Every structure is written in C-alpha cells, then in structure tokens.
C-alpha cells in the first residue's frame, strides 16, 4: 500500500510540474497567435484599401447607412456617408484595421485634430487615422463634425490606454508563469537533493 501511495504522489508531483512548465509557454503562444491574427486581418483590409484607393472617383459624398468604428469594444465614431465610392461600412472596416496596426506599434501615441474642408481629421502621431466628414454628422455642419471628432479622439485615447494595459497584463502573466515554474522546479530539485542525501546517509550507516 505504501509503495502505491508513493508512486501516486510522484505522478501527481510530475503532473503538477508539467502543468507549471507548460503554462507560461501556453500564455506566450496565445499572445503571439493573437498578434498574428491582428496582423493578418489588417493585411486583408489593407489590400481592400489599396484597391479602393486606385479607384477613380468624382469626390462626391453621399448619404450611406450608418457604420460604427470600434476599438477595444468601444464605439469610437459613427460614419453616415459614402465618400469617393467608399460606403460607410467599408470606411469603418479600413479605419478599424488602421487603428489595429497603430495599436500594435510600440511607443507613445499622441492624438491630434486637423481641420479640413470636408470635415475634421483625427491623427495619431501625425498619421491619419480617420476623418469625420460634415455628412457623417446629423447636422451636416463643421461645428458638429468638430464636436464628434473631439469625442472620437477622447474615446480613441481610452482605447489606446486599455490596449496598453491589456498588453502589460499579458506580459505580467507570462513572466509570472515563468517565475512560478522556475520556483517549482527549484523546489523539486531541492526535494530530490534532500531525499538523495537521506538515502546516501542510510547507505553509509548500513555500511558502518
């Protein structure tokens, strides 16, 4: 009975050690897979964006079924117009991909607004993210576009901060998992040394 108990406890310790060793690797693999999926989705929409950019349009802006721009489960802005052949939905998809690429970049991010003839542009580190056109607002005025762009910039800033916090949390979990696995491995080695020392001592006592 005692041999079975010892064998069972060894199997439990080995299983626990294996789980602890694979935990950080699983977290790291999940993080890399998430980043790869973001890059893949962005690349697919970039192709659509480039194809649409090559389209010759008359520059007309027409009403379109509303579409929302979302980032980190937040509604950043609502588009309501078709510009140069781009529907509000297509514009929103392209903008979300552009925001995704921006979030994936390291470094500080500064948001600014730029007045345009057709509306207000929202920039991050002087790079265009999207524009709130006059026709995207219910009122269709420059003042309304400015107000919606300011709200969009504030929401985008919150999304950037949340993305940074989520990335830091994943890094902390990965580092914590590695540290836990290393600690448990050290504890197992100390235990093995202790058991080995006792066995050697008993063997020496039997010899003397």
């Amino acid at each position: 009975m005692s041999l079975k108990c010892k064998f069972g406890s060894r199997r439990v310790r080995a299983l626990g050690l294996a789980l602890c060793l694979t935990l950080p690797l699983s977290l790291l693999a999940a993080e890399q897979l998430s980043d790869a999926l973001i890059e893949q989705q962005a690349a697919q929409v970039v192709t659509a964006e480039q194809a649409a950019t090559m389209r010759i349009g008359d520059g007309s802006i027409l009403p379109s079924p509303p579409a929302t721009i979302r980032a980190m489960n937040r509604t950043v802005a609502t588009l309501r117009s078709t510009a140069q052949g781009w529907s509000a939905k297509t514009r929103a998809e392209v903008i979300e991909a552009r925001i995704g690429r921006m979030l994936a970049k390291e470094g500080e991010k500064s948001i600014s607004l730029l007045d345009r003839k057709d509306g207000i542009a929202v920039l991050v580190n002087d790079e265009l993210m999207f524009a709130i056109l006059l026709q995207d607002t219910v009122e269709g005025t420059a003042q309304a576009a400015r107000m919606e762009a300011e709200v969009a910039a504030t929401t985008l800033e919150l999304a950037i901060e949340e993305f940074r916090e989520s990335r830091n949390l994943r890094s902390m979990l990965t580092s914590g998992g590695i540290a836990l696995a290393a600690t448990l491995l050290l504890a197992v080695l100390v235990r093995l040394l202790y058991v080995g020392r006792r066995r050697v001592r008993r063997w020496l006592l039997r010899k003397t």
Side-chain angles (χ1 to χ4, degrees):
M1 177 65 69
S2 113
L3 289 176
K4 290 183 179 179
C5 292
K6 289 182 179 179
F7 179 70
S9 62
R10 288 179 183 176
R11 290 185 62 183
V12 171
R13 286 198 299 269
L15 179 59
L17 178 60
L19 290 174
C20 293
L21 290 175
T22 56
L23 176 62
L25 297 178
S26 300
L27 291 172
L28 183 59
E31 180 178 358
Q32 292 176 346
L33 178 59
S34 177
D35 293 340
L37 288 175
I38 291 176
E39 292 178 359
Q40 182 180 3
Q41 292 176 353
Q44 291 175 350
V45 181
V46 168
T47 303
E49 178 182 1
Q50 292 173 344
T53 304
M54 295 173 62
R55 224 185 271 170
I56 299 176
D58 57 2
S60 60
I61 300 175
L62 304 172
S64 177
T68 57
I69 302 170
R70 297 186 62 83
M72 298 299 294
N73 293 324
R74 289 181 176 272
T75 299
V76 178
T78 301
L79 307 179
R80 299 180 177 87
S81 63
T82 296
Q84 295 185 347
W86 291 30
S87 67
K89 181 180 179 181
T90 301
R91 290 171 59 203
E93 290 175 350
V94 172
I95 291 167
E96 287 179 354
R98 188 180 297 138
I99 291 175
R101 297 195 301 273
M102 177 270 296
L103 291 174
K105 293 180 181 178
E106 299 288 347
E108 294 297 323
K109 297 174 176 63
S110 175
I111 302 177
S112 59
L113 302 179
L114 178 65
D115 290 315
R116 303 187 344 178
K117 293 181 180 180
D118 57 353
I120 307 294
V122 179
L123 300 88
V124 175
N125 294 343
D126 296 327
E127 180 182 352
L128 176 65
M129 289 292 107
F130 58 91
I132 301 297
L133 306 178
L134 303 183
Q135 288 77 4
D136 286 326
T137 66
V138 176
E139 297 83 357
T141 63
Q143 182 179 4
R146 162 65 66 169
M147 292 179 61
E148 291 197 17
E150 290 176 351
V151 173
T154 301
T155 307
L156 182 59
E157 188 174 5
L158 292 174
I160 291 173
E161 185 62 28
E162 288 177 357
F163 182 85
R164 183 183 297 113
E165 291 177 356
S166 67
R167 171 171 281 186
N168 292 339
L169 177 60
R170 284 186 295 176
S171 299
M172 290 175 59
L173 288 174
T174 302
S175 300
I178 293 175
L180 177 61
T183 301
L184 290 177
L185 179 60
L186 178 62
V188 171
L189 291 176
V190 171
R191 175 64 179 175
L192 290 176
L193 289 174
Y194 174 75
V195 172
R197 181 181 177 184
R198 289 183 59 185
R199 290 182 177 179
V200 170
R201 184 177 180 182
R202 290 176 182 175
W203 181 80
L204 291 175
L205 289 175
R206 286 198 300 267
K207 292 294 182 180
T208 57

